[in-house]
């Protein structure tokens, strides 16, 4: 459905997010007339390519065009692997049929043909638990073969934040010694799945190498919460507030809510609107705007149990986007100009 140029552009984005191989998906019943051109364009950029199709013609075309991997072959279509140099990804001929996958594996082993086996991860309520068991059986039977797990059936088909799903799945991948992961980023809620899978695989690999729990390596998957969101207690914040001798407001967050204080006193609330009457900024639009922005951030941080630091953006793990400082600088300059004019 994409042009070759669009495929290249999107592939470069996914590669920057951590993808080592770009998978081109074919749609049943829809022609992909520029498939070979897309494969060649990516290969010219040094990008590894896999092609996923139910059509033998598509897979042959992709293999002859230089694709590195072909998804997905069964014992019945394994003949395609003899026609091209691409590495086949093997799957059961029928859903849940491990014996058919074993037969395809044995054919490749006997022929000395490189391959990757995929037992297929099923969605929740449609065989998830049993499919994880299949991967465990596959690894136990063949401790040294290359195995792949496609994780899109969970990340794409579950209405839940993908950070935790990716962390858990990549933990299973690490425990079972699975060598490759097919990750997708199609559903809007799975927009960061490639980034998340990349971080998760690195964290799990490092933790496994170190013989440690996967904690303390990277905060990229802590999107909604922080491990230590509240660095000060209410009493500690009150002690700090007593030391302030100027009119500038400080904002902090504790387990009890949002605190704002200056030399004139300290106020606490869960709703920033409840603090407005204590701020005395009705004649200072610039200051009121600034406090509104910061108090809103503080409220969100308290609600989600996230770390809040005044004058800093909230951190959302891999979803964090660097923000330009120009607007903040312009606001500060405008505020000072208005203050001088008022004086």
């Amino acid at each position: 459905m994409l042009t070759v140029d669009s495929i290249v552009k999107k592939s470069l984005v996914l590669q920057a997010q951590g993808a080592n191989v770009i998978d081109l998906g074919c749609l049943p019943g829809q022609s992909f007339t520029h498939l070979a051109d897309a494969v060649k364009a990516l290969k010219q950029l040094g990008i590894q390519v896999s092609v996923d199709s139910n059509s033998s013609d598509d897979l042959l075309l992709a293999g002859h065009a230089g694709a590195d991997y072909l998804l997905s072959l069964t014992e019945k279509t394994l003949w395609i692997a003899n026609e091209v140099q691409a590495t086949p990804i093997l799957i059961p001929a029928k859903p849940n049929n491990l014996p058919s996958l074993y037969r395809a594996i044995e054919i490749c082993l006997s022929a000395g043909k490189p391959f990757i086996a995929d037992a297929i991860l099923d969605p929740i309520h449609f065989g998830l638990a049993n499919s994880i068991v299949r991967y465990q059986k596959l690894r136990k039977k063949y401790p040294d073969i290359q195995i792949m797990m496609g994780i899109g059936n969970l990340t794409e088909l579950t209405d839940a934040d993908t950070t935790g799903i990716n962390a858990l799945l990549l933990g299973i991948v690490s425990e079972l010694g699975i060598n490759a992961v097919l990750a997708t980023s199609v559903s809007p809620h799975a927009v960061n799945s490639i980034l998340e899978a990349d971080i998760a695989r690195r964290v799990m690999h490092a933790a496994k190498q170190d013989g440690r729990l996967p904690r303390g390596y990277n905060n990229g998957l802590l999107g909604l919460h922080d491990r230590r969101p509240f660095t000060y207690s209410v009493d500690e914040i009150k002690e700090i507030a007593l030391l302030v001798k100027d009119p500038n407001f400080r904002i902090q967050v504790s387990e009890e809510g949002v605190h704002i204080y200056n030399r004139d006193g300290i106020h606490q609330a869960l709703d920033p609107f409840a603090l407005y009457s204590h701020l005395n900024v009705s004649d200072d639009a610039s200051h009121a705007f600034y406090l509104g922005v910061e108090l809103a951030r503080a409220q969100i941080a308290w609600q989600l149990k996230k770390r809040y630091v005044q004058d800093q953006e909230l951190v959302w793990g891999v979803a964090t986007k660097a923000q330009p400082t120009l607007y903040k600088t312009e606001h500060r300059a405008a505020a000072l100009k208005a203050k001088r004019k008022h004086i």
Side-chain angles (χ1 to χ4, degrees), residues 117-299:
D118 186 351
I120 306 298
L121 188 72
D122 292 321
I124 294 172
H125 296 148
F126 292 87
L128 170 63
N130 285 334
S131 65
I132 293 174
V133 172
R134 286 200 302 272
Y135 280 101
Q136 192 273 339
K137 289 181 177 179
L138 179 61
R139 175 50 79 206
K140 186 175 181 178
K141 183 175 179 63
Y142 297 101
D144 300 319
I145 68 169
Q146 298 277 305
I147 299 177
M148 184 181 84
M149 178 186 286
I151 60 177
N153 277 346
L154 255 68
T155 55
E156 299 279 354
L157 304 181
T158 308
D159 279 347
D161 292 314
T162 54
T163 49
I165 295 175
N166 273 312
L168 178 59
L169 288 178
L170 269 294
I172 294 173
V173 163
S174 180
E175 281 203 6
L176 295 179
I178 291 173
N179 313 92
V181 167
L182 175 61
T184 57
S185 183
V186 179
S187 175
H189 87 283
V191 65
N192 289 321
S193 279
I194 309 302
L195 274 168
E196 293 164 2
D198 184 51
I199 289 177
R201 65 169 172 164
R202 297 175 188 277
V203 167
M204 298 305 169
H205 177 74
K208 186 175 184 178
Q209 293 294 106
D210 295 342
R212 291 179 50 198
L213 295 172
R215 302 185 71 187
Y217 287 92
N218 188 292
N219 291 331
L221 300 181
L222 289 171
L224 292 182
H225 315 290
D226 284 324
R227 288 182 61 191
R228 188 166 177 258
F230 307 122
T231 54
Y232 295 95
S233 67
V234 174
D235 291 338
E236 289 171 330
I237 291 174
K238 288 180 178 179
E239 289 180 10
I240 295 171
L242 291 174
L243 302 176
V244 173
K245 305 301 180 182
D246 60 72
N248 296 321
F249 283 107
R250 280 76 164 176
I251 302 172
Q252 290 183 272
V253 178
S254 74
E255 291 185 6
E256 303 300 320
V258 178
H259 307 261
I260 184 169
Y261 56 87
N262 62 6
R263 66 185 180 189
D264 299 320
I266 183 170
H267 306 281
Q268 174 189 331
L270 301 181
D271 183 352
F273 283 105
L275 298 168
Y276 179 74
S277 61
H278 303 291
L279 304 181
N280 298 318
V281 290
S282 57
D283 60 346
D284 189 345
S286 177
H287 198 192
F289 180 86
Y290 164 78
L291 291 178
V293 169
E294 287 299 321
L295 288 170
R297 287 176 179 165
Q299 181 190 32

Side-chain angles (χ1 to χ4, degrees), residues 1 25-33 52-58:
M1 296 174 67
C26 303
L27 294 174
Q30 183 167 330
S31 62
F32 194 162
T33 56
D52 190 353
S53 178
N54 292 324
S55 165
S56 298
D57 291 338
D58 284 342

